[in-house]
PDB file of all heavy atoms in Angstrom:
ATOM      1  N   VAL I  89     -11.835  -1.229  -3.681  1.00  0.00           N
ATOM      2  CA  VAL I  89     -11.793  -0.496  -2.424  1.00  0.00           C
ATOM      3  C   VAL I  89     -10.439  -0.778  -1.790  1.00  0.00           C
ATOM      4  O   VAL I  89     -10.042  -1.942  -1.655  1.00  0.00           O
ATOM      5  CB  VAL I  89     -12.921  -0.930  -1.464  1.00  0.00           C
ATOM      6  CG1 VAL I  89     -12.773  -0.230  -0.117  1.00  0.00           C
ATOM      7  CG2 VAL I  89     -14.282  -0.641  -2.070  1.00  0.00           C
ATOM      8  N   ILE I  90      -9.720   0.287  -1.419  1.00  0.00           N
ATOM      9  CA  ILE I  90      -8.428   0.156  -0.743  1.00  0.00           C
ATOM     10  C   ILE I  90      -8.586   0.672   0.683  1.00  0.00           C
ATOM     11  O   ILE I  90      -8.991   1.819   0.888  1.00  0.00           O
ATOM     12  CB  ILE I  90      -7.313   0.940  -1.454  1.00  0.00           C
ATOM     13  CG1 ILE I  90      -7.188   0.509  -2.906  1.00  0.00           C
ATOM     14  CG2 ILE I  90      -5.983   0.747  -0.712  1.00  0.00           C
ATOM     15  CD1 ILE I  90      -6.170   1.321  -3.704  1.00  0.00           C
ATOM     16  N   LEU I  91      -8.257  -0.172   1.658  1.00  0.00           N
ATOM     17  CA  LEU I  91      -8.263   0.205   3.069  1.00  0.00           C
ATOM     18  C   LEU I  91      -6.836   0.561   3.468  1.00  0.00           C
ATOM     19  O   LEU I  91      -5.922  -0.240   3.252  1.00  0.00           O
ATOM     20  CB  LEU I  91      -8.744  -0.954   3.934  1.00  0.00           C
ATOM     21  CG  LEU I  91     -10.098  -1.565   3.587  1.00  0.00           C
ATOM     22  CD1 LEU I  91     -10.367  -2.770   4.478  1.00  0.00           C
ATOM     23  CD2 LEU I  91     -11.199  -0.533   3.705  1.00  0.00           C
ATOM     24  N   LEU I  92      -6.631   1.752   4.030  1.00  0.00           N
ATOM     25  CA  LEU I  92      -5.291   2.162   4.463  1.00  0.00           C
ATOM     26  C   LEU I  92      -5.174   2.078   5.976  1.00  0.00           C
ATOM     27  O   LEU I  92      -6.029   2.579   6.704  1.00  0.00           O
ATOM     28  CB  LEU I  92      -4.986   3.592   4.012  1.00  0.00           C
ATOM     29  CG  LEU I  92      -3.611   4.127   4.425  1.00  0.00           C
ATOM     30  CD1 LEU I  92      -2.484   3.325   3.773  1.00  0.00           C
ATOM     31  CD2 LEU I  92      -3.485   5.604   4.107  1.00  0.00           C
ATOM     32  N   TYR I  93      -4.107   1.436   6.421  1.00  0.00           N
ATOM     33  CA  TYR I  93      -3.746   1.347   7.830  1.00  0.00           C
ATOM     34  C   TYR I  93      -2.404   2.038   8.030  1.00  0.00           C
ATOM     35  O   TYR I  93      -1.590   2.123   7.107  1.00  0.00           O
ATOM     36  CB  TYR I  93      -3.585  -0.119   8.259  1.00  0.00           C
ATOM     37  CG  TYR I  93      -4.842  -0.924   8.187  1.00  0.00           C
ATOM     38  CD1 TYR I  93      -5.198  -1.600   7.027  1.00  0.00           C
ATOM     39  CD2 TYR I  93      -5.686  -1.028   9.293  1.00  0.00           C
ATOM     40  CE1 TYR I  93      -6.362  -2.349   6.961  1.00  0.00           C
ATOM     41  CE2 TYR I  93      -6.846  -1.779   9.233  1.00  0.00           C
ATOM     42  CZ  TYR I  93      -7.176  -2.432   8.066  1.00  0.00           C
ATOM     43  OH  TYR I  93      -8.326  -3.180   8.000  1.00  0.00           O
ATOM     44  N   ALA I  94      -2.160   2.494   9.251  1.00  0.00           N
ATOM     45  CA  ALA I  94      -0.832   2.958   9.644  1.00  0.00           C
ATOM     46  C   ALA I  94      -0.277   1.951  10.638  1.00  0.00           C
ATOM     47  O   ALA I  94      -1.033   1.312  11.383  1.00  0.00           O
ATOM     48  CB  ALA I  94      -0.901   4.343  10.281  1.00  0.00           C
ATOM     49  N   CYS I  95       1.036   1.804  10.634  1.00  0.00           N
ATOM     50  CA  CYS I  95       1.700   0.883  11.558  1.00  0.00           C
ATOM     51  C   CYS I  95       3.018   1.519  11.979  1.00  0.00           C
ATOM     52  O   CYS I  95       3.809   1.938  11.135  1.00  0.00           O
ATOM     53  CB  CYS I  95       1.933  -0.467  10.890  1.00  0.00           C
ATOM     54  SG  CYS I  95       2.671  -1.692  11.991  1.00  0.00           S
ATOM     55  N   ARG I  96       3.238   1.599  13.288  1.00  0.00           N
ATOM     56  CA  ARG I  96       4.442   2.231  13.829  1.00  0.00           C
ATOM     57  C   ARG I  96       5.413   1.231  14.459  1.00  0.00           C
ATOM     58  O   ARG I  96       6.511   1.606  14.845  1.00  0.00           O
ATOM     59  CB  ARG I  96       4.039   3.270  14.871  1.00  0.00           C
ATOM     60  CG  ARG I  96       3.156   4.370  14.309  1.00  0.00           C
ATOM     61  CD  ARG I  96       2.565   5.233  15.418  1.00  0.00           C
ATOM     62  NE  ARG I  96       1.496   6.062  14.941  1.00  0.00           N
ATOM     63  CZ  ARG I  96       1.652   7.291  14.441  1.00  0.00           C
ATOM     64  NH1 ARG I  96       2.846   7.814  14.343  1.00  0.00           N
ATOM     65  NH2 ARG I  96       0.608   7.978  14.031  1.00  0.00           N
ATOM     66  N   VAL I  97       4.995  -0.042  14.558  1.00  0.00           N
ATOM     67  CA  VAL I  97       5.823  -1.067  15.203  1.00  0.00           C
ATOM     68  C   VAL I  97       5.851  -2.306  14.324  1.00  0.00           C
ATOM     69  O   VAL I  97       4.803  -2.807  13.915  1.00  0.00           O
ATOM     70  CB  VAL I  97       5.243  -1.434  16.593  1.00  0.00           C
ATOM     71  CG1 VAL I  97       6.082  -2.514  17.257  1.00  0.00           C
ATOM     72  CG2 VAL I  97       5.128  -0.213  17.484  1.00  0.00           C
ATOM     73  N   TRP I  98       7.055  -2.798  14.038  1.00  0.00           N
ATOM     74  CA  TRP I  98       7.223  -4.033  13.272  1.00  0.00           C
ATOM     75  C   TRP I  98       8.573  -4.624  13.615  1.00  0.00           C
ATOM     76  O   TRP I  98       9.412  -3.962  14.237  1.00  0.00           O
ATOM     77  CB  TRP I  98       7.101  -3.782  11.762  1.00  0.00           C
ATOM     78  CG  TRP I  98       8.112  -2.812  11.227  1.00  0.00           C
ATOM     79  CD1 TRP I  98       9.377  -3.090  10.756  1.00  0.00           C
ATOM     80  CD2 TRP I  98       7.972  -1.393  11.115  1.00  0.00           C
ATOM     81  NE1 TRP I  98      10.020  -1.940  10.371  1.00  0.00           N
ATOM     82  CE2 TRP I  98       9.174  -0.888  10.573  1.00  0.00           C
ATOM     83  CE3 TRP I  98       6.948  -0.490  11.424  1.00  0.00           C
ATOM     84  CZ2 TRP I  98       9.383   0.472  10.336  1.00  0.00           C
ATOM     85  CZ3 TRP I  98       7.155   0.860  11.183  1.00  0.00           C
ATOM     86  CH2 TRP I  98       8.350   1.327  10.646  1.00  0.00           C
ATOM     87  N   GLN I  99       8.771  -5.866  13.207  1.00  0.00           N
ATOM     88  CA  GLN I  99      10.052  -6.547  13.423  1.00  0.00           C
ATOM     89  C   GLN I  99      10.713  -6.759  12.073  1.00  0.00           C
ATOM     90  O   GLN I  99      10.060  -7.185  11.111  1.00  0.00           O
ATOM     91  CB  GLN I  99       9.838  -7.885  14.111  1.00  0.00           C
ATOM     92  CG  GLN I  99       9.286  -7.758  15.503  1.00  0.00           C
ATOM     93  CD  GLN I  99       8.962  -9.122  16.100  1.00  0.00           C
ATOM     94  OE1 GLN I  99       9.139 -10.163  15.470  1.00  0.00           O
ATOM     95  NE2 GLN I  99       8.476  -9.123  17.333  1.00  0.00           N
ATOM     96  N   GLY I 100      12.017  -6.494  12.016  1.00  0.00           N
ATOM     97  CA  GLY I 100      12.777  -6.659  10.790  1.00  0.00           C
ATOM     98  C   GLY I 100      13.011  -5.326  10.098  1.00  0.00           C
ATOM     99  O   GLY I 100      12.499  -4.289  10.512  1.00  0.00           O
ATOM    100  N   THR I 101      13.800  -5.396   9.030  1.00  0.00           N
ATOM    101  CA  THR I 101      14.107  -4.215   8.232  1.00  0.00           C
ATOM    102  C   THR I 101      13.420  -4.366   6.886  1.00  0.00           C
ATOM    103  O   THR I 101      13.664  -5.348   6.172  1.00  0.00           O
ATOM    104  CB  THR I 101      15.633  -4.087   8.019  1.00  0.00           C
ATOM    105  OG1 THR I 101      16.258  -3.999   9.305  1.00  0.00           O
ATOM    106  CG2 THR I 101      15.966  -2.856   7.201  1.00  0.00           C
ATOM    107  N   PRO I 102      12.552  -3.416   6.513  1.00  0.00           N
ATOM    108  CA  PRO I 102      11.861  -3.529   5.227  1.00  0.00           C
ATOM    109  C   PRO I 102      12.840  -3.611   4.054  1.00  0.00           C
ATOM    110  O   PRO I 102      13.817  -2.862   3.991  1.00  0.00           O
ATOM    111  CB  PRO I 102      11.030  -2.246   5.152  1.00  0.00           C
ATOM    112  CG  PRO I 102      10.850  -1.821   6.573  1.00  0.00           C
ATOM    113  CD  PRO I 102      12.127  -2.223   7.259  1.00  0.00           C
ATOM    114  N   ALA I 103      12.571  -4.542   3.148  1.00  0.00           N
ATOM    115  CA  ALA I 103      13.379  -4.726   1.939  1.00  0.00           C
ATOM    116  C   ALA I 103      12.430  -4.802   0.743  1.00  0.00           C
ATOM    117  O   ALA I 103      11.301  -5.275   0.865  1.00  0.00           O
ATOM    118  CB  ALA I 103      14.191  -6.015   2.043  1.00  0.00           C
ATOM    119  N   ALA I 104      12.887  -4.351  -0.404  1.00  0.00           N
ATOM    120  CA  ALA I 104      12.071  -4.336  -1.630  1.00  0.00           C
ATOM    121  C   ALA I 104      12.046  -5.731  -2.252  1.00  0.00           C
ATOM    122  O   ALA I 104      12.666  -5.978  -3.285  1.00  0.00           O
ATOM    123  CB  ALA I 104      12.615  -3.308  -2.610  1.00  0.00           C
ATOM    124  N   LEU I 105      11.313  -6.664  -1.645  1.00  0.00           N
ATOM    125  CA  LEU I 105      11.251  -8.034  -2.144  1.00  0.00           C
ATOM    126  C   LEU I 105      10.372  -8.154  -3.385  1.00  0.00           C
ATOM    127  O   LEU I 105      10.600  -9.023  -4.217  1.00  0.00           O
ATOM    128  CB  LEU I 105      10.730  -8.973  -1.053  1.00  0.00           C
ATOM    129  CG  LEU I 105      11.534  -8.995   0.249  1.00  0.00           C
ATOM    130  CD1 LEU I 105      10.881  -9.931   1.255  1.00  0.00           C
ATOM    131  CD2 LEU I 105      12.978  -9.388  -0.015  1.00  0.00           C
ATOM    132  N   GLU I 106       9.345  -7.309  -3.504  1.00  0.00           N
ATOM    133  CA  GLU I 106       8.432  -7.364  -4.646  1.00  0.00           C
ATOM    134  C   GLU I 106       8.211  -5.981  -5.251  1.00  0.00           C
ATOM    135  O   GLU I 106       7.160  -5.715  -5.829  1.00  0.00           O
ATOM    136  CB  GLU I 106       7.094  -7.982  -4.224  1.00  0.00           C
ATOM    137  CG  GLU I 106       7.219  -9.436  -3.825  1.00  0.00           C
ATOM    138  CD  GLU I 106       5.876 -10.102  -3.583  1.00  0.00           C
ATOM    139  OE1 GLU I 106       4.822  -9.477  -3.766  1.00  0.00           O
ATOM    140  OE2 GLU I 106       5.892 -11.288  -3.202  1.00  0.00           O
ATOM    141  N   ALA I 107       9.197  -5.101  -5.111  1.00  0.00           N
ATOM    142  CA  ALA I 107       9.090  -3.740  -5.630  1.00  0.00           C
ATOM    143  C   ALA I 107      10.407  -3.354  -6.286  1.00  0.00           C
ATOM    144  O   ALA I 107      11.445  -3.966  -6.032  1.00  0.00           O
ATOM    145  CB  ALA I 107       8.767  -2.764  -4.505  1.00  0.00           C
ATOM    146  N   ALA I 108      10.354  -2.329  -7.119  1.00  0.00           N
ATOM    147  CA  ALA I 108      11.572  -1.834  -7.766  1.00  0.00           C
ATOM    148  C   ALA I 108      12.434  -1.045  -6.788  1.00  0.00           C
ATOM    149  O   ALA I 108      13.662  -1.077  -6.866  1.00  0.00           O
ATOM    150  CB  ALA I 108      11.212  -0.964  -8.972  1.00  0.00           C
ATOM    151  N   ASP I 109      11.798  -0.332  -5.839  1.00  0.00           N
ATOM    152  CA  ASP I 109      12.542   0.523  -4.925  1.00  0.00           C
ATOM    153  C   ASP I 109      11.670   0.854  -3.721  1.00  0.00           C
ATOM    154  O   ASP I 109      10.447   0.698  -3.764  1.00  0.00           O
ATOM    155  CB  ASP I 109      12.957   1.815  -5.636  1.00  0.00           C
ATOM    156  CG  ASP I 109      14.130   2.519  -4.974  1.00  0.00           C
ATOM    157  OD1 ASP I 109      14.688   1.998  -3.988  1.00  0.00           O
ATOM    158  OD2 ASP I 109      14.497   3.610  -5.451  1.00  0.00           O
ATOM    159  N   LEU I 110      12.312   1.319  -2.653  1.00  0.00           N
ATOM    160  CA  LEU I 110      11.638   1.801  -1.455  1.00  0.00           C
ATOM    161  C   LEU I 110      12.169   3.188  -1.138  1.00  0.00           C
ATOM    162  O   LEU I 110      13.322   3.498  -1.435  1.00  0.00           O
ATOM    163  CB  LEU I 110      11.921   0.894  -0.255  1.00  0.00           C
ATOM    164  CG  LEU I 110      11.508  -0.564  -0.336  1.00  0.00           C
ATOM    165  CD1 LEU I 110      11.965  -1.305   0.923  1.00  0.00           C
ATOM    166  CD2 LEU I 110      10.006  -0.698  -0.507  1.00  0.00           C
ATOM    167  N   ALA I 111      11.326   4.016  -0.507  1.00  0.00           N
ATOM    168  CA  ALA I 111      11.763   5.344  -0.080  1.00  0.00           C
ATOM    169  C   ALA I 111      11.006   5.725   1.183  1.00  0.00           C
ATOM    170  O   ALA I 111       9.820   5.441   1.317  1.00  0.00           O
ATOM    171  CB  ALA I 111      11.506   6.369  -1.178  1.00  0.00           C
ATOM    172  N   TRP I 112      11.711   6.372   2.111  1.00  0.00           N
ATOM    173  CA  TRP I 112      11.097   6.915   3.322  1.00  0.00           C
ATOM    174  C   TRP I 112      10.882   8.397   3.088  1.00  0.00           C
ATOM    175  O   TRP I 112      11.828   9.121   2.768  1.00  0.00           O
ATOM    176  CB  TRP I 112      12.002   6.692   4.527  1.00  0.00           C
ATOM    177  CG  TRP I 112      12.119   5.253   4.937  1.00  0.00           C
ATOM    178  CD1 TRP I 112      13.076   4.361   4.559  1.00  0.00           C
ATOM    179  CD2 TRP I 112      11.229   4.543   5.797  1.00  0.00           C
ATOM    180  NE1 TRP I 112      12.841   3.132   5.132  1.00  0.00           N
ATOM    181  CE2 TRP I 112      11.717   3.222   5.902  1.00  0.00           C
ATOM    182  CE3 TRP I 112      10.077   4.897   6.497  1.00  0.00           C
ATOM    183  CZ2 TRP I 112      11.079   2.253   6.690  1.00  0.00           C
ATOM    184  CZ3 TRP I 112       9.448   3.934   7.274  1.00  0.00           C
ATOM    185  CH2 TRP I 112       9.950   2.631   7.372  1.00  0.00           C
ATOM    186  N   LEU I 113       9.639   8.862   3.250  1.00  0.00           N
ATOM    187  CA  LEU I 113       9.291  10.251   2.955  1.00  0.00           C
ATOM    188  C   LEU I 113       8.498  10.868   4.095  1.00  0.00           C
ATOM    189  O   LEU I 113       7.750  10.170   4.784  1.00  0.00           O
ATOM    190  CB  LEU I 113       8.433  10.320   1.683  1.00  0.00           C
ATOM    191  CG  LEU I 113       9.056   9.739   0.414  1.00  0.00           C
ATOM    192  CD1 LEU I 113       7.989   9.527  -0.632  1.00  0.00           C
ATOM    193  CD2 LEU I 113      10.136  10.670  -0.102  1.00  0.00           C
ATOM    194  N   VAL I 114       8.615  12.199   4.233  1.00  0.00           N
ATOM    195  CA  VAL I 114       7.737  12.892   5.173  1.00  0.00           C
ATOM    196  C   VAL I 114       6.329  12.830   4.585  1.00  0.00           C
ATOM    197  O   VAL I 114       6.163  12.847   3.353  1.00  0.00           O
ATOM    198  CB  VAL I 114       8.186  14.345   5.428  1.00  0.00           C
ATOM    199  CG1 VAL I 114       9.540  14.387   6.110  1.00  0.00           C
ATOM    200  CG2 VAL I 114       8.186  15.161   4.158  1.00  0.00           C
ATOM    201  N   PRO I 115       5.313  12.706   5.428  1.00  0.00           N
ATOM    202  CA  PRO I 115       3.949  12.524   4.913  1.00  0.00           C
ATOM    203  C   PRO I 115       3.520  13.579   3.890  1.00  0.00           C
ATOM    204  O   PRO I 115       2.877  13.253   2.898  1.00  0.00           O
ATOM    205  CB  PRO I 115       3.082  12.576   6.174  1.00  0.00           C
ATOM    206  CG  PRO I 115       3.988  12.080   7.252  1.00  0.00           C
ATOM    207  CD  PRO I 115       5.343  12.615   6.895  1.00  0.00           C
ATOM    208  N   GLY I 116       3.885  14.829   4.089  1.00  0.00           N
ATOM    209  CA  GLY I 116       3.479  15.884   3.169  1.00  0.00           C
ATOM    210  C   GLY I 116       4.069  15.763   1.778  1.00  0.00           C
ATOM    211  O   GLY I 116       3.543  16.355   0.827  1.00  0.00           O
ATOM    212  N   ALA I 117       5.144  14.996   1.621  1.00  0.00           N
ATOM    213  CA  ALA I 117       5.783  14.836   0.309  1.00  0.00           C
ATOM    214  C   ALA I 117       5.204  13.672  -0.491  1.00  0.00           C
ATOM    215  O   ALA I 117       5.454  13.566  -1.692  1.00  0.00           O
ATOM    216  CB  ALA I 117       7.288  14.633   0.484  1.00  0.00           C
ATOM    217  N   ILE I 118       4.423  12.819   0.139  1.00  0.00           N
ATOM    218  CA  ILE I 118       3.905  11.637  -0.555  1.00  0.00           C
ATOM    219  C   ILE I 118       3.012  12.028  -1.725  1.00  0.00           C
ATOM    220  O   ILE I 118       3.081  11.449  -2.805  1.00  0.00           O
ATOM    221  CB  ILE I 118       3.166  10.707   0.433  1.00  0.00           C
ATOM    222  CG1 ILE I 118       4.173  10.129   1.436  1.00  0.00           C
ATOM    223  CG2 ILE I 118       2.436   9.592  -0.309  1.00  0.00           C
ATOM    224  CD1 ILE I 118       3.545   9.375   2.578  1.00  0.00           C
ATOM    225  N   GLY I 119       2.179  13.039  -1.555  1.00  0.00           N
ATOM    226  CA  GLY I 119       1.277  13.478  -2.615  1.00  0.00           C
ATOM    227  C   GLY I 119       1.970  14.029  -3.841  1.00  0.00           C
ATOM    228  O   GLY I 119       1.349  14.168  -4.892  1.00  0.00           O
ATOM    229  N   ASP I 120       3.271  14.321  -3.736  1.00  0.00           N
ATOM    230  CA  ASP I 120       4.041  14.815  -4.883  1.00  0.00           C
ATOM    231  C   ASP I 120       4.564  13.686  -5.763  1.00  0.00           C
ATOM    232  O   ASP I 120       5.083  13.936  -6.851  1.00  0.00           O
ATOM    233  CB  ASP I 120       5.227  15.670  -4.406  1.00  0.00           C
ATOM    234  CG  ASP I 120       4.778  16.936  -3.699  1.00  0.00           C
ATOM    235  OD1 ASP I 120       3.666  17.426  -3.997  1.00  0.00           O
ATOM    236  OD2 ASP I 120       5.540  17.431  -2.845  1.00  0.00           O
ATOM    237  N   LEU I 121       4.461  12.448  -5.286  1.00  0.00           N
ATOM    238  CA  LEU I 121       4.934  11.299  -6.062  1.00  0.00           C
ATOM    239  C   LEU I 121       3.983  10.988  -7.217  1.00  0.00           C
ATOM    240  O   LEU I 121       2.790  11.293  -7.145  1.00  0.00           O
ATOM    241  CB  LEU I 121       5.016  10.057  -5.173  1.00  0.00           C
ATOM    242  CG  LEU I 121       6.027  10.061  -4.034  1.00  0.00           C
ATOM    243  CD1 LEU I 121       5.816   8.837  -3.155  1.00  0.00           C
ATOM    244  CD2 LEU I 121       7.443  10.108  -4.570  1.00  0.00           C
ATOM    245  N   ALA I 122       4.494  10.334  -8.235  1.00  0.00           N
ATOM    246  CA  ALA I 122       3.645   9.763  -9.288  1.00  0.00           C
ATOM    247  C   ALA I 122       3.075   8.467  -8.721  1.00  0.00           C
ATOM    248  O   ALA I 122       3.831   7.530  -8.425  1.00  0.00           O
ATOM    249  CB  ALA I 122       4.457   9.496 -10.541  1.00  0.00           C
ATOM    250  N   MET I 123       1.744   8.439  -8.516  1.00  0.00           N
ATOM    251  CA  MET I 123       1.092   7.300  -7.873  1.00  0.00           C
ATOM    252  C   MET I 123      -0.148   6.894  -8.655  1.00  0.00           C
ATOM    253  O   MET I 123      -0.698   7.690  -9.421  1.00  0.00           O
ATOM    254  CB  MET I 123       0.647   7.674  -6.450  1.00  0.00           C
ATOM    255  CG  MET I 123       1.759   8.032  -5.508  1.00  0.00           C
ATOM    256  SD  MET I 123       1.191   8.273  -3.788  1.00  0.00           S
ATOM    257  CE  MET I 123       0.191   9.747  -3.914  1.00  0.00           C
ATOM    258  N   PRO I 124      -0.642   5.663  -8.438  1.00  0.00           N
ATOM    259  CA  PRO I 124      -1.954   5.302  -8.987  1.00  0.00           C
ATOM    260  C   PRO I 124      -3.005   6.259  -8.417  1.00  0.00           C
ATOM    261  O   PRO I 124      -2.857   6.765  -7.300  1.00  0.00           O
ATOM    262  CB  PRO I 124      -2.169   3.872  -8.484  1.00  0.00           C
ATOM    263  CG  PRO I 124      -0.796   3.350  -8.216  1.00  0.00           C
ATOM    264  CD  PRO I 124      -0.011   4.538  -7.741  1.00  0.00           C
ATOM    265  N   PRO I 125      -4.083   6.506  -9.147  1.00  0.00           N
ATOM    266  CA  PRO I 125      -5.058   7.523  -8.731  1.00  0.00           C
ATOM    267  C   PRO I 125      -5.611   7.367  -7.321  1.00  0.00           C
ATOM    268  O   PRO I 125      -5.789   8.368  -6.619  1.00  0.00           O
ATOM    269  CB  PRO I 125      -6.182   7.381  -9.771  1.00  0.00           C
ATOM    270  CG  PRO I 125      -5.522   6.788 -10.965  1.00  0.00           C
ATOM    271  CD  PRO I 125      -4.417   5.912 -10.446  1.00  0.00           C
ATOM    272  N   LEU I 126      -5.891   6.153  -6.876  1.00  0.00           N
ATOM    273  CA  LEU I 126      -6.497   5.981  -5.561  1.00  0.00           C
ATOM    274  C   LEU I 126      -5.527   6.197  -4.403  1.00  0.00           C
ATOM    275  O   LEU I 126      -5.953   6.323  -3.254  1.00  0.00           O
ATOM    276  CB  LEU I 126      -7.161   4.606  -5.448  1.00  0.00           C
ATOM    277  CG  LEU I 126      -8.384   4.399  -6.326  1.00  0.00           C
ATOM    278  CD1 LEU I 126      -8.973   3.008  -6.112  1.00  0.00           C
ATOM    279  CD2 LEU I 126      -9.439   5.462  -6.076  1.00  0.00           C
ATOM    280  N   ASP I 127      -4.229   6.262  -4.692  1.00  0.00           N
ATOM    281  CA  ASP I 127      -3.268   6.504  -3.613  1.00  0.00           C
ATOM    282  C   ASP I 127      -3.264   7.968  -3.175  1.00  0.00           C
ATOM    283  O   ASP I 127      -2.883   8.271  -2.044  1.00  0.00           O
ATOM    284  CB  ASP I 127      -1.873   6.045  -4.026  1.00  0.00           C
ATOM    285  CG  ASP I 127      -1.705   4.545  -3.885  1.00  0.00           C
ATOM    286  OD1 ASP I 127      -2.276   3.796  -4.701  1.00  0.00           O
ATOM    287  OD2 ASP I 127      -1.020   4.122  -2.947  1.00  0.00           O
TER     288      ASP I 127
END
Side-chain angles (χ1 to χ4, degrees):
V89 175
I90 304 176
L91 305 176
L92 179 64
Y93 296 89
C95 183
R96 300 169 194 271
V97 179
W98 60 89
Q99 295 174 359
T101 301
L105 302 178
E106 294 188 3
D109 201 3
L110 300 176
W112 291 94
L113 302 164
V114 295
I118 294 171
D120 295 333
L121 295 172
M123 297 187 293
L126 292 181
D127 280 73

